[in-house]
Amino acid sequence: MNNLSLYLSLPYVQNALIVAVLIALCSSLLGVTLVLKRFSFIGDGLSHVAFGAMAVASVLRLTNQMLLALPLTVLCAVLLLRTGQNTKIKGDAAVAMISVGALALGYLLLNKSPYRSGNVSADVCSSLFGSTSIMTLKQNEVWLCEGLSVAVVIIFILFYHKIFAVTFDEDFAKAAGTRAEAYNLLIAVVIAVIIVLAMNLVGSLLISALIISPAMSAMRLFRSFKGVTLCSAVLSVTCAVLGIMISIVADTPVGSTIVAADMLVFLICWGLSLAGVKL
Amino acid sequence: MALINVKDLSLGYDGHEILTGLNFSVEAGNYLCIVGENGSGKSTLMKTMLSLQRPLSGSIAFGDGLKPNEIGYLPQQTAVQKDFPATVWEIVRSGCQARMGRRPFYSKEEKQLVRENMEKMGIMPFARRCYRELSGGQQQRVLLARALCATRKLLLLDEPVSGLDPKVTAEMYQLIESLNRQEGVTIIMISHDIAAAVRYATHILHVGHQVFFGPVEEYVHSPIARRFLDAEGGKQA
């Protein structure tokens, strides 16, 4: 415990906690929509694209890798949404191709880069599982994370009712003159931003869990869309803080500890719903 | 001018025609049932009228000051909705999205409208209940209340009684009839239930290899109706 309070007094740990809370909050907000709209595949595909983009950025020795990863991932989000809706090309196959292709290309570049670091496996492991990158964010990266997170939360609040309408019944929304395609695009772009943010917290392989599991947990317990959204936000933030604390005390990797906490919460929520708890 | 005027309409997917040369019009206050075999293009026609899909050729004109987004639509339920975590209140409220325009939140007037329509449909007691826990008939009334929030003039209903038991089906038909007769809402309904269509509707549009459009009195004496009534009767018995 002394260990923990010592760490918590360090500025970079405090930074990490603030960023973690913001990222966890953002990533939980669109989880419900992602699950219900069957967009989970886009989230998963994009996380691999983000890995590839980060690899390219590190090969180019960019100081702020997010600045390259962000536009590339957003671009892919738009492309994936297009192919996903096109029934002629097999949508999910296209997603699989793009995502695995990006993963392979990223690893290839990291290995063959003239500036490659002495320990490629450690770099790759860090990108895939997050490891300690949340603790080593530079000040400008912290600001970028904070700014983007706040933007995501504001967009979500402003478009909350539209997102609900498009998620619940796209045909009805279109018939009522709501531009459903535009909102789908907005959702995809926001997801891309969240994924690039969340790479810092849990790494690209674990992002889907961060986005989807709080929503799945909340859906076991709550019966209103608002309730599910608020509950998943609370669960996600709690798990992120808890995960970071545990990782400090028990010296475990940050990302996987947070995801493990999310999974545990899901099991608890599932158990509660089986026991008949409904809120 | 008629509320809806359909001229030489051809429908289909990817250039493949399902229906061609369709002509009919709907006057305010009409109750039109669209009947026909499965795959004859009934749902496609409805989606085209809602501008969810483009016609291959021909035109659909709206009259009487009706805007395309002033149509209340009751779609067939999707698998997603059956497991959707949302309260009745949240769902009915989303019927106001066209009124809301670019405004991010619902106004007092819109909330009042939601309450009125929920009372009309008798679902006020379920306002805070979860949609997925309701019975099929209750769910349809929720979606009908939502459609009413979008319109006072015209409702498009895509098989509103499919999957409901006979008692609830009868209640649903009465509810729709009272909206038509008492509130003056124009109804266009896709139906498989030809007996009910003939009983409640004022006009019938029969689509398929042969097309019929006209008042229900003419329809029941037409050869196309006889053949269809016999076939349907045999299937339902």
Side-chain angles (χ1 to χ4, degrees):
Chain A
M1 277 304 127
N2 284 337
N3 207 359
L4 188 63
S5 55
L6 171 71
Y7 271 104
L8 288 181
S9 64
L10 297 171
Y12 67 87
V13 175
Q14 289 168 356
N15 261 345
L17 270 175
I18 293 169
V19 173
V21 164
L22 284 169
I23 292 174
L25 177 64
C26 292
S27 63
S28 66
L29 291 178
L30 277 173
V32 187
T33 304
L34 227 61
V35 171
L36 292 169
K37 265 181 115 36
R38 315 274 149 97
F39 273 5
S40 308
F41 73 98
I42 291 184
D44 198 48
L46 284 182
S47 58
H48 296 145
V49 170
F51 169 80
M54 286 287 200
V56 172
S58 82
V59 166
L60 296 173
R61 309 194 89 180
L62 297 181
T63 45
N64 193 339
Q65 299 184 351
M66 277 166 69
L67 288 180
L68 180 76
L70 199 59
L72 272 180
T73 313
V74 168
L75 182 73
C76 279
V78 176
L79 288 176
L80 286 184
L81 196 69
R82 287 275 159 81
T83 50
Q85 283 171 342
N86 187 344
T87 46
K88 270 188 187 164
I89 308 167
K90 292 267 171 246
D92 46 348
V95 173
M97 286 258 305
I98 294 177
S99 67
V100 180
L103 205 59
L105 194 68
Y107 188 55
L108 190 87
L109 284 174
L110 282 177
N111 272 286
K112 281 295 155 202
S113 149
Y115 310 110
R116 77 193 188 111
S117 66
N119 195 344
V120 175
S121 333
D123 279 359
V124 170
C125 193
S126 169
S127 303
L128 289 180
F129 293 101
S131 62
T132 57
S133 60
I134 190 81
M135 301 290 186
T136 57
L137 288 179
K138 292 179 211 77
Q139 192 57 49
N140 63 351
E141 289 172 318
V142 171
W143 282 330
L144 187 60
C145 281
E146 288 172 352
L148 286 173
S149 309
V150 171
V152 166
V153 174
I154 290 173
I155 287 175
F156 183 79
I157 292 172
L158 282 180
F159 292 106
Y160 170 81
H161 290 297
K162 301 283 187 191
I163 291 173
F164 171 81
V166 172
T167 309
F168 181 71
D169 195 335
E170 200 169 308
D171 275 350
F172 182 88
K174 278 189 205 162
T178 301
R179 292 170 58 215
E181 275 91 9
Y183 287 104
N184 281 340
L185 196 62
L186 179 80
I187 291 168
V189 169
V190 171
I191 290 166
V193 172
I194 290 170
I195 281 167
V196 174
L197 283 173
M199 264 200 86
N200 294 311
L201 185 58
V202 293
S204 64
L205 275 187
L206 304 178
I207 286 172
S208 293
L210 192 71
I211 295 176
I212 287 160
S213 64
M216 293 291 279
S217 306
M219 278 164 68
R220 305 287 128 205
L221 295 181
F222 280 81
R223 54 185 86 205
S224 71
F225 192 73
K226 197 165 133 195
V228 168
T229 305
L230 290 176
C231 173
S232 68
V234 170
L235 289 180
S236 180
V237 169
T238 312
C239 288
V241 173
L242 215 63
I244 289 186
M245 302 279 194
I246 292 171
S247 76
I248 290 170
V249 175
D251 191 25
T252 53
V254 179
S256 25
T257 313
I258 293 175
V259 172
D262 276 318
M263 291 300 153
L264 188 66
V265 164
F266 174 73
L267 288 178
I268 293 169
C269 290
W270 195 21
L272 286 174
S273 81
L274 288 180
V277 177
K278 277 276 166 200
L279 300 166
Chain B
M1 196 194 162
L3 204 57
I4 298 180
N5 217 331
V6 173
K7 258 202 188 130
D8 299 324
L9 191 68
S10 291
L11 303 173
Y13 290 101
D14 304 325
H16 173 76
E17 285 185 338
I18 312 176
L19 270 174
T20 53
L22 207 55
N23 284 290
F24 67 94
S25 62
V26 183
E27 304 283 339
N30 281 5
Y31 187 144
L32 172 71
C33 266
I34 304 173
V35 296
E37 293 87 353
N38 284 334
S40 57
K42 302 187 296 285
S43 287
T44 311
L45 171 61
M46 190 162 271
K47 285 190 174 157
T48 311
M49 290 167 81
L50 289 160
S51 354
L52 296 178
Q53 202 178 319
R54 279 165 196 272
L56 296 179
S57 64
S59 69
I60 301 175
F62 296 97
D64 288 350
L66 182 76
K67 291 182 202 127
N69 66 358
E70 279 180 336
I71 302 173
Y73 176 39
L74 192 135
Q76 292 191 44
Q77 281 204 51
T78 61
V80 175
Q81 287 162 4
K82 294 205 168 104
D83 196 31
F84 202 94
T87 60
V88 169
W89 173 258
E90 287 177 312
I91 290 168
V92 177
R93 193 170 58 174
S94 72
C96 292
Q97 55 186 294
R99 293 168 197 279
M100 194 157 96
R102 289 184 182 276
R103 192 159 23 88
F105 305 107
Y106 294 106
S107 68
K108 271 207 177 106
E109 293 77 37
E110 283 157 358
K111 286 176 185 161
Q112 184 56 36
L113 182 72
V114 171
R115 261 186 292 266
E116 279 166 20
N117 285 319
M118 285 177 70
E119 262 157 29
K120 219 180 272 175
M121 294 295 111
I123 51 172
M124 211 55 195
F126 318 130
R128 303 280 159 203
R129 290 266 304 277
C130 183
Y131 178 76
R132 61 185 170 196
E133 291 163 4
L134 301 180
S135 71
Q138 289 165 340
Q139 290 184 340
Q140 286 300 68
R141 280 194 278 164
V142 171
L143 297 185
L144 201 51
R146 176 183 67 164
L148 284 174
C149 285
T151 187
R152 285 206 173 88
K153 295 177 185 162
L154 174 62
L155 279 179
L156 264 62
L157 316 170
D158 194 347
E159 297 193 34
V161 297
S162 74
L164 302 183
D165 66 51
K167 183 171 166 281
V168 180
T169 297
E171 284 171 10
M172 195 73 192
Y173 278 131
Q174 276 156 20
L175 203 57
I176 296 165
E177 189 186 27
S178 75
L179 285 172
N180 178 244
R181 307 283 196 270
Q182 274 137 49
E183 313 260 337
V185 181
T186 310
I187 306 281
I188 300 177
M189 183 200 290
I190 291 177
S191 180
H192 269 125
D193 184 353
I194 189 109
V198 169
R199 186 171 156 202
Y200 292 102
T202 61
H203 292 71
I204 299 282
L205 173 65
H206 186 128
V207 294
H209 298 298
Q210 286 174 288
V211 174
F212 173 93
F213 171 70
V216 73
E217 300 79 27
E218 274 176 42
Y219 178 69
V220 288
H221 297 298
S222 68
I224 181 174
R226 292 252 180 76
R227 234 176 302 136
F228 197 63
L229 277 166
D230 292 345
E232 283 288 299
K235 205 163 68 188
Q236 275 172 3

